[in-house]
Structures are given as structure tokens and as C-alpha cells.
């Protein structure tokens, strides 16, 4: 903690060092043509000087005793990647999308010896595995191998009055006695025990029923029977039965009659009278700032940060329905919702179908963008979900699949008939991904076509000026994706109609909020710390693309403009501009302590949006 504070105190004096490593560099016209952002001349530098400056700082920290550089295995991986890029620049597709061959290390592998959960939770019954338990039962032996504590304040103990991780917590000295017993702040614990901070948790009984395929979905079965009356649909439940419909039963079903089948309990209005669309729960989406559903980086702690900075609507990460129906805990974890998310997509407020996902794995199975070309299946999904939901159903689409073939304008009139409550349109096709500018003229024409159903536009919004221009079209609101990842304070800028020349210290505070939220969500033990670090590093791979407003020759920065090498106004601002994994790790160490010896990281997403 002392070393971290000393590091931050030196930031002001290090601004002079930045100037020493800033040679006069004149941006050529060809650089601007290649899509580089325009930065004031006094801040521009060369790649060599930029890395020389940051390397010199790492060397100083190494002499001070802090860990220097990244593990050799990961360094070799990065160098091979860079060499390959130089050799094959002409092959653009090779470096698009994701780092699919990146090293994967599970967070629990960072601890050589782990303490038995029965000891951590201080159970009176002891360990149920006895001598066969593979974990340690000696607290003293565990403490000898445990990584050093990270500070005197535990986020979980501060917010809940009790830390469930006990002595394994990396802030254990904040809530453990001299006898290594877990302490409880009774006042805070009583106040928080009646509050539900995280919702949409997977119930164990429900998970068991899903895995055994014994959960009954009567509304779903009714809808399937209505679209396939000639087939026998098997219902799951205590008494399984085959529902049979003859050819003459279709008229009764259309008139609202209940299909033949065994029922249990009294009949209510909900059983025989379906809600009309106007009677369903309504959500006022207009003029709201909508955070897009984002894979990996759109996690719960990140969404909490965006809520603090002004986001109105949040949406969980894309979840695969097949995995949800199989009771996979990892997939259900994507649906978790924090109590601060007052307007949340997936559960409670509304449900969103993401048919704009361009990922190959999803598309090749007919999901995501693949649904846009499978109109019959798309219609069945939307109508089917509408028939069983009591909340609004929204749909996210792209302009189309192929680059020069827009099809969204053909789908939108049909989706209005299917009963969607809101449409979100990303202004690019699947083939374009993020390499071309979003087509807001097309979004505008589609918004007119969608009326009176609200349509949100999405694509290339990085400043409040972009949002103002977008709102001059007929869209009902805007959805923010990459812009929120690069600068989450974009929500504040839009609501206050200003460019925020945010300081490096303020940006570091935002990262500190994220790490605290991450430790609350993923845990404050070593496994939780490293999981939080991993997601922080994924986010830093986007944050490094931000260029401070005070350094720009031309305001605002465009989302597809490549940041040239520049020196910030202080050391931290320069460090945050680095696109090197070493420097991201250094930032994470300021907040989460040194990385483990076997730590390895490569970002999931590659930056292929620059021209």
C-alpha cells in the first residue's frame, strides 16, 4: 500500500520526464490519410522514444523491488505475434476478430495450496471429505504460502459487514483476529442482510430440474403446438402426456381456447386469457442512453461503472439459450443484475434478442446475424417469446450480413407485425464488422420505417457531438458500445453536452471503482483478485485507445482514428496510452498488487477498427 501511494505521488514530478522524452515530431499528411488522430505537435513522439520512456520507468520500479515485465512465455507470444504482423500485413483477415490461440490459465491455478472451504467458512461440522480432502486444513501452513495482502480495506467487509472469504481474503487483516478468526461488523451485517445486491441468481433446485429436463414450460408447449398442430409435443412435468391436435382443433386454439391436456389446481384468468401487447408491462425507452450488450467486457462490474457515469439502460452479456436450458452455471452468471441497474435487459424489465452478433461461432450455428437470413425461424422465435413473456421483447439487428446488401429495411416491417417493442440497429453489416463507418443515413430511413415502434441507433458514437448528430435523425435513442468501452464517461459527456478533459487521476479512480466492484462480484481471495485483474486487462485493451481532449489538435476524436505515439501531460497519462500488455499489467499492479509468477495474458479482442 505504501509503495503504491509513493508511486502515485511521483506522478506530478514525472511530467517533466515526459517532456525530456518528447522529440519534435511533425505529422505528415500521409499519416492523417491513414486514419491517425490529429494531436498537438508538442505531445507527439516516436515509437522508439515512447517505449524507451516507459521502459526506463519499469527499470526504476524493478530497482525499487517491484515486479518488472511480464512472464517470458507471454513475452515470446507477443513478439511472435508482432513479427507475424510485420511479415503478413497484406493478409487483413488474419488479424481480425479474436486472439483464439491465446494462453488460458484458470484463476484458481495461481495458488499452490488452497484452504478447505470448511475452514474458510468456519463450519462447526468440519470437512465432510475427511482424510480424502485435497485441500489444506492447517491455517498456519496455508498462511506461509498465501500471497501478501493488498491493503487494509476489504470491499466485501465494508459493504456487507462480513467477508465470506475469511483468512483467504487478500485484505484479511481488515477483518481477522490475532487467532485468525473472521470478524463481523454486526451493524453493517444486519443492515445489508435484508438487501439483495445481486439478482437473477440460479436457484439450485431450478438448475437440477433443468439438467434433468423436468422443468415444465406450459406456455412454450402451447405455442409450439399452435405452429405444429400435426406433431405430438411432449410436455415435461410430474405427469408427462402427449398433447394431440387434430386438423379441426386449430380454430379453437385461434379463438383462445385452452389446448386439451391435464391441468392441476384452480383455473385463473392468466390460464385462459392472454395479455394483449398493450396490457404488458411497458418500458419508456425514448431518449435513454443504452449500454450495448458486450461480450466479456460488458460484465456486471463494468455496467456498475457505467451506471455511476450516467447510463440509463444496461443489458447483460449475450447468453446462449441452449446453455441456459441445460442449467449451465457459467451461462446463468451472465444474467446477474446489480441492484443499481434499474432498467435492465434479459430479466424483469425487458428481454432482448441479439440477432446482430457477428461472431463466427454463433453465426455458423444459425444464431446472431444468421437469424436475419432465416426469416421463418426468426418469426417463430419472436412470436413464440412474445406469447410467453409478460415484459417487452426487443431485438438488435445489423444492416445485413453481406457488406453491400442491406436487408434490415425488409425485416423491420415484419418485426412490427411480430410484436417487438423496440428495435436496435447497428449501422454496419456482419462482413464490415468495425472496419467501416456506421451508415447513419440508412439508420435514419429505417427509423422512419419502424415508426411507431421505437428504433435505437448504434455505431461510431464516441463524443456528445456524435450523439447530438445521431439524435437529429428519427431514432428514439442511441446505444453505446465501443464508445463506452473506450471512455465510459461518455454517458456523462452526452448528458452534460460537453467534452470532458478527464485527468489521468480521475481515470485511475474509475479503474479503482471497477476493481472494487470486481472484488465484490468475483471475490476477494486470490482467485477473485486474478479474475478481476483479467477482466480489467481486457478493458484496458480498449481504454488505451482514448486520446485526452487537451492533447488533440482537432476536437473531437473519431472512433476509427488510430492514436499515434504521444507523451501525456504526466507519467500516468502516458502509461495509459500504451498498447503494450506490459504496461496494462503495470496499471493492474497499482490496483491489485503484483501478478503471480505463472501469470499470462493476451486480450480476447484485436483492434481491427483502424483504417
Amino acid at each position: 500500500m505504501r509503495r503504491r501511494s509513493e508511486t502515485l505521488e511521483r506522478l506530478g514530478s514525472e511530467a517533466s520526464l515526459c517532456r525530456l522524452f518528447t522529440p519534435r515530431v511533425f505529422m505528415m499528411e500521409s499519416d492523417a490519410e491513414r486514419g491517425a488522430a490529429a494531436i498537438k505537435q508538442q505531445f507527439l513522439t516516436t515509437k522508439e522514444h515512447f517505449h524507451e520512456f516507459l521502459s526506463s520507468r519499469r527499470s526504476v520500479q524493478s530497482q525499487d523491488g517491484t515486479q518488472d515485465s511480464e512472464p517470458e512465455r507471454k513475452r515470446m507470444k507477443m513478439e511472435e505475434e508482432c513479427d507475424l504482423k510485420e511479415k503478413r500485413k497484406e493478409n487483413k483477415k488474419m488479424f481480425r476478430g479474436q486472439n483464439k490461440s491465446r494462453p488460458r490459465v484458470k484463476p484458481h491455478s495461481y495458488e499452490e495450496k488452497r484452504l478447505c472451504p470448511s475452514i474458510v467458512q468456519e463450519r462447526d461440522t468440519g470437512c465432510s471429505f475427511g482424510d480424502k480432502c485435497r485441500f489444506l486444513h492447517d491455517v498456519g501452513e496455508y498462511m506461509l504460502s498465501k500471497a501478501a495482502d493488498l491493503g487494509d480495506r476489504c470491499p466485501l467487509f465494508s459493504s456487507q459487514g462480513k467477508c465470506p472469504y475469511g483468512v483467504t481474503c487478500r485484505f484479511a487483516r481488515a477483518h481477522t483476529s490475532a487467532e485468525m478468526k473472521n470478524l463481523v461488523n454486526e451493524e453493517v451485517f444486519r443492515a445489508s442482510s435484508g438487501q439483495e445486491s445481486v439478482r437473477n441468481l440460479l436457484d439450485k433446485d431450478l438448475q437440477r430440474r433443468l439438467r434433468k429436463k423436468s422443468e415444465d414450460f406450459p406456455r412454450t408447449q402451447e405455442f409450439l403446438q399452435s405452429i405444429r398442430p400435426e406433431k405430438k409435443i411432449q410436455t415435461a412435468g410430474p405427469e408427462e402426456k402427449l398433447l394431440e391436435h387434430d386438423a379441426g382443433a386449430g380454430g379453437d386454439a385461434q379463438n383462445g381456447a385452452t389446448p386439451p391436456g391435464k391441468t392441476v389446481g384452480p383455473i385463473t384468468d392468466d390460464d385462459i386469457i392472454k395479455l394483449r401487447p398493450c396490457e404488458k408491462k411497458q418500458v419508456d425507452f425514448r431518449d435513454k442512453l443504452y449500454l450495448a450488450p458486450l461480450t466479456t467486457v460488458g460484465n456486471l462490474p463494468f455496467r456498475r461503472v457505467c451506471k455511476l457515469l450516467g447510463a440509463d439502460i444496461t443489458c447483460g452479456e449475450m447468453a446462449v439459450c441452449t446453455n441456459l436450458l441445460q442449467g449451465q452455471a457459467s451461462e446463468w452468471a451472465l444474467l446477474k443484475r446489480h441492484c443499481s441497474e434499474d432498467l435492465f435487459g434479459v430479466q424483469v424489465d425487458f428481454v432482448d434478442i441479439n440477432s446482430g452478433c457477428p461472431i463466427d461461432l454463433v453465426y455458423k450455428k444459425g444464431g446472431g446475424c444468421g437469424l436475419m437470413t432465416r426469416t421463418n425461424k426468426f418469426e417463430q422465435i419472436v412470436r413464440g417469446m412474445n406469447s410467453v413473456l409478460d415484459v417487452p421483447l426487443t431485438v438488435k439487428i445489423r444492416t445485413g450480413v453481406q457488406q453491400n446488401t442491406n436487408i434490415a429495411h425488409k425485416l423491420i416491417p415484419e418485426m412490427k407485425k411480430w410484436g417487438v417493442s423496440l428495435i436496435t440497429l447497428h449501422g454496419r453489416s456482419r462482413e464490415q464488422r468495425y472496419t467501416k463507418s456506421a451508415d447513419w443515413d440508412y439508420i435514419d430511413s429505417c427509423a422512419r420505417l419502424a415508426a411507431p415502434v421505437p428504433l435505437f441507433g448504434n455505431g461510431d458514437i464516441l463524443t456528445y457531438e456524435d450523439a447530438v448528430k445521431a439524435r437529429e435523425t428519427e431514432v428514439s435513442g442511441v446505444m453505446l458500445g465501443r464508445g463506452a468501452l473506450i471512455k465510459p464517461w461518455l454517458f456523462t459527456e452526452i448528458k452534460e453536452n460537453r467534452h470532458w478533459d478527464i485527468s489521468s487521476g480521475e481515470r485511475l479512480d474509475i479503474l479503482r471503482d471497477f476493481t472494487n466492484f470486481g472484488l465484490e462480484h468475483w471475490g476477494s481471495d486470490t482467485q477473485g483478485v486474478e479474475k478481476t485483474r483479467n477482466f480489467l486487462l481486457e478493458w484496458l485493451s480498449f481504454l488505451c485507445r482514448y486520446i485526452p481532449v487537451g492533447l488533440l489538435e482537432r476536437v473531437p476524436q473519431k472512433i476509427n482514428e488510430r492514436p499515434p505515439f504521444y507523451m501525456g501531460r504526466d507519467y500516468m497519462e502516458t502509461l495509459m496510452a500504451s498498447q503494450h500488455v506490459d504496461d496494462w499489467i503495470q496499471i493492474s499492479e497499482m490496483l491489485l498488487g503484483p501478478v503471480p509468477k505463472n501469470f499470462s495474458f493476451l486480450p480476447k479482442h484485436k483492434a481491427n477498427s483502424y483504417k
Side-chain angles (χ1 to χ4, degrees):
M1 190 70 180
R2 179 183 175 187
R3 183 182 300 152
R4 198 180 318 146
S5 61
E6 290 175 350
T7 301
L8 296 177
E9 287 173 1
R10 289 198 298 263
L11 294 182
S13 61
E14 285 166 345
S16 57
L17 288 176
C18 293
R19 289 190 290 271
L20 291 176
F21 283 86
T22 308
R24 293 182 62 83
V25 177
F26 296 94
M27 192 177 220
M28 304 301 292
E29 184 67 25
S30 59
D31 291 333
E33 291 175 359
R34 286 196 294 268
I39 292 181
K40 295 176 181 177
Q41 294 292 332
Q42 63 264 35
F43 297 107
L44 289 173
T45 187
T46 63
K47 178 179 179 180
E48 293 72 20
H49 281 85
F50 180 85
H51 289 301
E52 181 185 352
F53 170 71
L54 292 179
S55 297
S56 67
R57 292 301 308 141
R58 283 197 296 271
S59 300
V60 171
Q61 291 182 357
S62 179
Q63 294 172 6
D64 291 341
T66 57
Q67 183 168 336
D68 178 41
S69 190
E70 55 191 299
E72 184 64 24
R73 182 161 66 95
K74 180 166 59 60
R75 179 185 296 281
M76 292 173 62
K77 178 74 177 178
M78 289 296 294
E79 290 175 353
E80 290 173 3
E81 190 94 1
C82 292
D83 292 342
L84 204 54
K85 281 185 180 182
E86 292 296 327
K87 292 177 182 178
R88 306 190 62 175
K89 281 184 178 179
E90 70 280 359
N91 190 352
K92 295 182 180 179
K93 287 188 177 181
M94 189 167 185
F95 294 99
R96 294 180 63 181
Q98 301 180 345
N99 283 309
K100 296 181 180 179
S101 60
R102 61 196 179 114
R104 299 172 187 268
V105 181
K106 294 183 178 180
H108 63 73
S109 65
Y110 292 124
E111 272 192 308
E112 297 178 1
K113 299 179 180 180
R114 300 170 65 191
L115 197 61
C116 178
S118 66
I119 305 299
V120 176
Q121 299 167 12
E122 300 179 354
R123 298 178 193 163
D124 296 332
T125 56
C127 179
S128 58
F129 293 95
D131 296 336
K132 295 182 180 179
C133 183
R134 58 191 178 92
F135 299 114
L136 289 176
H137 289 75
D138 187 338
V139 176
E141 183 181 353
Y142 169 77
M143 295 302 291
L144 292 175
S145 62
K146 180 191 171 186
D149 276 6
L150 301 176
D152 298 320
R153 180 187 175 277
C154 172
L156 284 165
F157 182 72
S158 299
S159 61
Q160 301 177 13
K162 181 180 180 180
C163 178
Y165 297 94
V167 294
T168 63
C169 175
R170 295 293 295 278
F171 306 85
R173 62 172 175 259
H175 52 75
T176 53
S177 64
E179 295 77 23
M180 292 298 167
K181 295 295 182 182
N182 203 18
L183 302 177
V184 179
N185 185 328
E186 296 292 347
E187 182 180 353
V188 178
F189 183 70
R190 282 195 301 269
S192 63
S193 58
Q195 300 177 355
E196 188 182 24
S197 60
V198 178
R199 305 168 190 171
N200 298 345
L201 302 176
L202 176 59
D203 180 72
K204 290 295 182 183
D205 291 335
L206 174 60
Q207 184 182 36
R208 191 180 303 108
R209 294 196 301 273
L210 289 173
R211 288 178 174 177
K212 292 184 177 181
K213 299 183 179 180
S214 61
E215 179 68 14
D216 194 12
F217 300 100
R219 291 187 181 181
T220 303
Q221 297 299 334
E222 180 182 347
F223 174 77
L224 291 175
Q225 189 64 50
S226 69
I227 63 174
R228 294 183 292 180
E230 73 285 354
K231 294 186 179 182
K232 295 182 178 181
I233 308 298
Q234 187 168 357
T235 60
E239 297 184 17
E240 296 185 353
K241 186 175 182 178
L242 293 178
L243 298 179
E244 299 182 2
H245 270 218
D246 53 25
D252 293 336
Q254 293 174 0
N255 293 331
T258 304
K262 188 169 182 178
T263 60
V264 179
I267 296 178
T268 65
D269 288 347
D270 291 337
D271 295 321
I272 57 177
I273 303 175
K274 292 183 178 180
L275 291 176
R276 292 177 296 175
C278 62
E279 295 174 329
K280 289 187 177 183
K281 176 183 177 182
Q282 299 298 308
V283 176
D284 183 13
F285 293 101
R286 292 185 181 276
D287 294 323
K288 297 284 196 304
L289 293 179
Y290 189 164
L291 174 64
L294 303 164
T295 305
T296 305
V297 279
N299 47 69
L300 185 146
F302 174 74
R303 298 197 304 269
R304 287 185 66 182
V305 168
C306 290
K307 285 296 296 182
L308 285 177
L309 294 169
D312 296 314
I313 307 173
T314 55
C315 192
E317 297 176 66
M318 180 176 172
V320 180
C321 291
T322 305
N323 298 339
L324 293 175
L325 292 173
Q326 292 173 352
Q328 293 185 15
S330 59
E331 204 73 19
W332 277 84
L334 302 178
L335 309 186
K336 289 182 179 179
R337 167 192 188 176
H338 191 262
C339 60
S340 63
E341 299 180 87
D342 49 354
L343 194 49
F344 182 71
V346 170
Q347 280 289 321
V348 182
D349 297 307
F350 67 96
V351 175
D352 182 66
I353 300 176
N354 189 351
S355 50
C357 179
I359 297 174
D360 291 342
L361 180 65
V362 177
Y363 175 76
K364 290 178 180 178
K365 291 183 178 180
C369 287
L371 282 174
M372 295 184 66
T373 57
R374 304 172 66 200
T375 312
N376 292 337
K377 178 64 68 175
F378 200 1
E379 179 181 2
Q380 289 180 357
I381 291 173
V382 173
R383 289 189 182 276
M385 292 183 68
N386 249 331
S387 70
V388 301
L389 288 173
D390 296 328
V391 295
L393 179 68
T394 66
V395 177
K396 184 175 186 290
I397 60 174
R398 284 176 174 260
T399 59
V401 178
Q402 281 77 32
Q403 183 168 336
N404 298 316
T405 308
N406 293 336
I407 60 174
H409 64 282
K410 299 178 182 178
L411 281 174
I412 287 172
E414 298 301 316
M415 287 192 285
K416 291 169 64 176
K417 299 176 185 177
W418 302 342
V420 300
S421 298
L422 177 138
I423 300 168
T424 303
L425 177 59
H426 186 113
R428 297 182 184 84
S429 66
R430 177 183 180 269
E431 282 188 352
Q432 285 177 300
R433 294 292 177 96
Y434 302 103
T435 54
K436 304 293 182 182
S437 297
D439 189 346
W440 276 92
D441 290 334
Y442 183 67
I443 293 175
D444 184 27
S445 62
C446 286
R448 299 173 189 273
L449 197 61
V453 175
L455 184 142
F456 272 46
N458 174 226
D460 293 352
I461 297 178
L462 187 63
T463 67
Y464 86 89
E465 292 176 348
D466 295 331
V468 168
K469 187 176 180 180
R471 283 172 166 171
E472 291 174 355
T473 67
E474 293 298 314
V475 298
S476 301
V478 293
M479 173 183 277
L480 309 180
R482 280 185 304 156
L485 291 174
I486 295 171
K487 44 184 283 191
W489 52 93
L490 174 59
F491 296 101
T492 303
E493 288 188 342
I494 293 174
K495 289 191 170 181
E496 297 180 1
N497 286 326
R498 67 184 177 98
H499 294 295
W500 183 359
D501 190 9
I502 188 170
S503 68
S504 60
E506 291 172 313
R507 291 163 67 187
L508 189 64
D509 287 339
I510 291 174
L511 295 180
R512 185 174 288 106
D513 285 338
F514 175 85
T515 56
N516 288 334
F517 295 155
L519 294 171
E520 287 183 30
H521 184 58
W522 291 301
S524 56
D525 59 348
T526 296
Q527 182 174 341
V529 167
E530 296 313 319
K531 197 165 187 178
T532 301
R533 188 194 307 275
N534 187 77
F535 283 105
L536 173 64
L537 292 172
E538 291 283 3
W539 186 21
L540 285 170
S541 69
F542 288 90
L543 284 170
C544 64
R545 307 180 198 180
Y546 169 72
I547 303 173
V549 173
L551 277 60
L552 288 170
E553 186 73 46
R554 183 195 70 247
V555 178
Q557 174 189 359
K558 298 298 182 182
I559 200 166
N560 283 355
E561 287 182 336
R562 180 180 65 258
F565 288 98
Y566 66 90
M567 305 299 288
R569 291 164 291 190
D570 56 46
Y571 168 68
M572 180 56 66
E573 197 165 74
T574 306
L575 183 65
M576 289 179 168
S578 174
Q579 299 194 19
H580 200 281
V581 180
D582 262 351
D583 299 314
W584 304 341
I585 290 175
Q586 185 178 342
I587 295 173
S588 79
E589 290 181 327
M590 293 178 181
L591 302 166
L592 296 168
V595 296
K597 294 180 180 178
N598 59 335
F599 183 80
S600 184
F601 175 79
L602 272 179
K604 181 177 182 179
H605 298 279
K606 298 178 182 179
N608 68 324
S609 60
Y610 302 132
K611 298 177 182 179

